[in-house]
Structure formats: C-alpha cells, structure tokens
Amino acid sequence: MNIKFLGAHNCESSTIRLVTLLIDDVLALDAGGLTSSLSIEAQLQLKAVLLTHQHYDHIRDVPAMAMNALFYETDIQVYSTQAVYEALAAHWLNGTTYANFLEKPQNNPRIKFTLIKPNEAVQIEGYSILAVPVSHSVPTVGYQVTSPDGKIVFYTGDTGPGLADCWQYVSPQLLITEVTAPNRYEEFGRRSRHLTPSLLKEELNAFQKSKGYLPPVILVHMNPREEEEIAAEIAPLAEELNTSITLAYEGMLVQL
Ligand SMILES: [Zn+2]
Ligand SMILES: [Zn+2]
C-alpha cells in the first residue's frame, strides 16, 4: 500500500494544502487538496473519494472534481455518511453556490454518492473500508482501509479526545491522526474537538492498553504557524512511547 500525503495541514497556501491522502493512486481520503495536487489524468484514475466529515477543509474540492468529471464525461464516486451528504446537498452543491452535481445531469449525475454506515465494512475495488465514528464537533468517521494484500491503515480524520471508543474496531499497522495545535491549546482542543500532543498521548496510551501494541503514527492537520512547537513536543512523546510519530508534509510518500 502506497500512501501519499497530498495535503497535511489545516490551512492552505502556495506551499501547503488542506488534508488529503491518496492510497495507491485510486482511493482519496478527504478532499481539501485534491484538485490542486492532482493532474486531470490522476483525478480520472480515482476510484473513490472517502469523506470523513463536512468541514470545508475536508470537502473543499468535491465541486471542482465534479466539474472536471462533467467536462471529461465521467463521474466521481464519493462515499460518506448521511450528515456529509446533507451538508453537500444543502450548502455546497445546492444549485446556488454551485451546480447540483449530486442530481445533475438528470440521467447521469456527475457525483455518484454512496452512503456509508458506521461500523459496517464495504468493499471498494478490492479494498475493505470500515468507517468508525470519532469525537469531533460535527458527525465524523475515521476510515480503516485494508488493501487486497492485507495492509491496514486507520485514518481518524479530525478528532478530539475519546478515541478509546473506536480502538476496539480497528487494528492498524499504521495510524494517521491529527494534531492541530501545541499543548498550550489543550483547552481549545477539548472544546473544539481537536488533539494536541498531550491529548494524543492519552489516546495512544489507551490504544496500547487496549490492543497491546502501538503502530507507527503519522500526524496531519497541523496549524502551520504552530508547527515547530508541535514538532518539539512530539519528539519527546515518541521517545517516551517508544514508537515512531512523524509530522506529515505535502508530497510525503509512505509504503506499508
Ligand atoms: Zn473538522
Ligand atoms: Zn479539519
């Protein structure tokens, strides 16, 4: 399984992108930095776009993908929860902000949306996908992706403390989760449902206790302004927990 980090941050500029992961060139997890990172040809290769939740930084490129699909006479396969479908239909593809590609063109909508139910595995192109609810400010699911050759990654999406509830459903060889801000924002993290290094430590301790091991961890969704501070706090945590914890960056490639 090849994982490319197209976007690794919670802000966008000419050098950083909103969180988006690409697995084996065919599965996209979240869509904040998809069209800005991929050529049209690469976009046309995608078999599925899996969305964790409805926040702008995770669904941003869905309308742009759909417009490309229209002009290239194809469609895009989007998978997510009912909450994300409703948000897209009400605010994003509502016929006012942009064309309603969920229903148009009438006989062949450019977005084929498949509802995913939490904790029920679905098969997509030989990959087994399990959506697991996490604790964020809006309904959010993380995705465990198991490749045809048995490699397993779990991407939590945006999450606050309380991941212990979902560890029972997943057994990843690689964990991709978020740290948005450094430790001095712990109160902000608890309130807005994001992680800091100190909050991540509690979640990883719970993982170790529940599963008896700790996988390597890769972090995304960093606020670029605080990134050095986050990195300085993560280094001793990785040492203390005796596992690899890496901050992702745009273009980073990981082979599992
Ligand atoms: Zn969010
Ligand atoms: Zn976010």
Side-chain angles (χ1 to χ4, degrees):
M1 182 190 282
N2 289 304
I3 304 167
K4 188 168 186 184
F5 292 79
L6 301 181
H9 291 86
N10 68 348
C11 295
E12 187 185 62
S13 75
S14 58
T15 56
I16 57 172
R17 302 258 187 276
L18 300 171
V19 175
T20 305
L21 314 180
L22 183 64
I23 296 181
D24 294 337
D25 296 326
V26 292
L27 300 180
L29 302 183
D30 280 333
L34 209 46
T35 47
S36 53
S37 301
L38 295 181
S39 67
I40 295 280
E41 290 70 26
Q43 291 175 37
L44 299 179
Q45 270 190 49
L46 289 174
K47 303 294 186 196
V49 179
L50 307 167
L51 303 173
T52 58
H53 66 299
Q54 71 213 45
H55 280 154
Y56 173 83
D57 50 327
H58 300 257
I59 63 168
R60 204 273 305 271
D61 292 347
V62 171
M65 287 277 297
M67 184 59 90
N68 291 343
L70 177 71
F71 287 122
Y72 283 81
E73 297 178 18
T74 182
D75 49 45
I76 59 168
Q77 308 289 328
V78 176
Y79 293 76
S80 194
T81 59
Q82 182 73 28
V84 170
Y85 179 87
E86 287 171 9
L88 284 171
H91 306 297
W92 215 213
L93 299 157
N94 57 8
T96 301
T97 312
Y98 215 46
N100 184 350
F101 288 117
L102 293 163
E103 294 176 358
K104 289 181 177 174
Q106 210 169 20
N107 296 328
N108 187 18
R110 294 303 157 180
I111 298 177
K112 303 283 192 292
F113 194 100
T114 304
L115 277 180
I116 278 195
K117 286 188 186 147
N119 299 322
E120 278 183 25
V122 295
Q123 304 298 317
I124 302 174
E125 296 285 323
Y127 294 82
S128 178
I129 312 289
L130 183 70
V132 183
V134 300
S135 174
H136 191 39
S137 54
V138 295
T140 301
V141 291
Y143 288 104
Q144 177 168 269
V145 178
T146 305
S147 65
D149 61 347
K151 299 293 194 295
I152 308 172
V153 62
F154 182 52
Y155 164 53
T156 65
D158 287 4
T159 184
L163 282 169
D165 293 341
C166 70
W167 295 147
Q168 58 186 306
Y169 301 107
V170 299
S171 297
Q173 296 156 354
L174 171 68
L175 173 65
I176 301 172
T177 188
E178 70 129 290
V179 164
T180 297
N183 288 337
R184 59 195 168 94
Y185 289 95
E186 187 177 312
E187 207 34 59
F188 156 84
R190 289 188 191 280
R191 202 175 56 243
S192 63
R193 314 309 297 160
H194 286 293
L195 294 179
T196 61
S198 55
L199 295 172
L200 174 68
K201 178 182 173 178
E202 292 172 21
E203 302 309 319
L204 294 181
N205 280 335
F207 187 106
Q208 170 91 56
K209 201 172 161 196
S210 155
K211 313 295 287 187
Y213 76 102
L214 260 188
V217 180
I218 298 180
L219 303 177
V220 294
H221 208 261
M222 289 75 70
N223 180 339
R225 193 175 179 192
E226 325 285 355
E227 193 160 0
E228 280 182 27
E229 198 176 339
I230 293 171
E233 292 170 351
I234 287 296
L237 177 62
E239 203 159 308
E240 184 185 338
L241 298 178
N242 196 27
T243 193
S244 153
I245 310 178
T246 313
L247 274 63
Y249 56 87
E250 283 69 18
M252 180 175 161
L253 264 174
V254 172
Q255 196 169 29
L256 197 61

